[in-house]
Amino acid sequence: MRCSVCGFENEGRYCNNCGALLTGGTEAVPATGSWLERCPVCRTRPLEETVSRRFLGLTSRQVYACPGCGATFTPEGGEAFRLSKAADQSNPIWKTYGNQTLTGGEWRRIAHGGVSDARQRALDIEYALGEIQKGSVPELRVEANAVLLKRGERAVAVIPGVTLKEPRSVRKTYGGGGGPSIRIAKGVYFRTGGFASRSESHEEIREIDSGTLTLTNRRMVFTGAKRTVNVPLGKIVGMEPYRDAIAINRDGKQRTEYYTGIDTTRLTLGVAGRTHVVPLSGVVFMCMVQGLLNREE
């Protein structure tokens, strides 16, 4: 059976990779009760309060341990507890949450086949990006359109404050004279050797312009004070995502174009009633472009 959370093939009731309850299970998280009633690691025995001796037995600390699997949870203040020990470190729960500090509510959810808040967020975002790539592209319009739309064209994202950068060749020349120098007057020297120079060239990413980046269902348009770039989506041959930028390679242009500062815009993703606000990173932008291309096919 394939796990609906991580996609791993399994046999049994729980996923051997992430520990989630496999599809078809009927278990639900109890509405009331303590998370100590079921060990999140083995999911069979309740946890027992015990005392852990430290530093040659001179100090001690209260912990919660499972008498069945040996898992130990250490209080970290408030309602937070750290999974600090597990006898079987091949257990999927230990591999996923070992030495992590979570709330009691999260541990209770894990004990009944769920996942932590952070892992749920990561899985939701991964799922949402997959749906965007398939063609379910959300509209993200933060201001009025910066371009005139053609018939049948609609704006998907309008992103202000974007900087266009491109690689530029920079040449530097180094020179100097050789041989001994002879003093012919105060502060005046004559060098007997000849002058030699060498030149080196390299590329640097230089800022070209700043403006607004608009993504439509047909093209990508950058409108700046000095330059306007109009790129049909079908002309894009490659994309490289960054945390705050997207690099575009397009047909008919040798230089890569870097559009930076796109992460100042936020996108809201919704999955199964849960919402997550994420920055518009290069990965998200790339998925949106791929989704628009797939939808037009």
Side-chain angles (χ1 to χ4, degrees), residues 138-142 155-159 213-216 280 285 288:
E139 290 191 4
L140 177 63
R141 301 175 63 179
V142 296
V156 175
V158 181
I159 312 165
L213 183 63
T214 302
L215 178 65
T216 79
L280 186 62
F285 190 90
M288 294 175 71

Side-chain angles (χ1 to χ4, degrees), residues 2 27 44 75 88 96 116 151 161 164 180 182 192 196 211 217 229 281-282 290 292:
R2 182 181 296 274
E27 188 170 7
T44 57
D88 180 12
T96 303
S116 68
R151 178 176 296 180
L164 169 62
I182 301 173
T192 59
N217 59 322
V229 181
S281 65
Q290 291 176 335
L292 291 170

Side-chain angles (χ1 to χ4, degrees), residues 58-170:
L58 299 178
T59 61
S60 61
R61 188 175 187 180
Q62 177 191 40
V63 297
Y64 299 96
C66 176
C69 69
T72 301
F73 294 83
T74 303
E76 296 293 341
E79 291 297 319
F81 304 88
R82 177 171 59 90
L83 175 55
S84 54
K85 181 182 177 182
D88 180 12
Q89 297 196 356
S90 66
N91 184 288
I93 299 300
W94 171 260
K95 291 194 296 184
T96 303
Y97 300 107
N99 289 313
Q100 287 193 27
T101 300
L102 305 175
T103 65
E106 289 178 283
W107 286 125
R108 185 171 65 156
R109 190 161 64 244
I110 292 169
H112 291 271
V115 294
S116 68
D117 293 342
R119 184 159 176 78
Q120 186 67 68
R121 173 183 169 85
L123 292 169
D124 284 349
I125 292 174
E126 181 181 354
Y127 174 82
L129 292 181
E131 292 300 302
I132 291 175
Q133 283 183 294
K134 294 176 184 177
S136 299
V137 182
E139 290 191 4
L140 177 63
R141 301 175 63 179
V142 296
E143 62 175 26
N145 292 338
V147 299
L148 294 177
L149 301 178
K150 301 177 182 180
R151 178 176 296 180
E153 185 178 27
R154 60 182 180 81
V156 175
V158 181
I159 312 165
V162 175
T163 300
L164 169 62
K165 298 181 179 181
E166 290 183 358
R168 288 289 186 266
S169 295
V170 178

Side-chain angles (χ1 to χ4, degrees), residues 226-248:
K226 297 178 290 185
R227 178 182 292 191
T228 298
V229 181
N230 189 352
V231 184
L233 298 185
K235 292 288 186 179
I236 297 176
V237 296
M239 292 179 287
E240 185 173 358
Y242 297 89
R243 176 186 56 81
D244 60 345
I246 185 72
I248 300 292

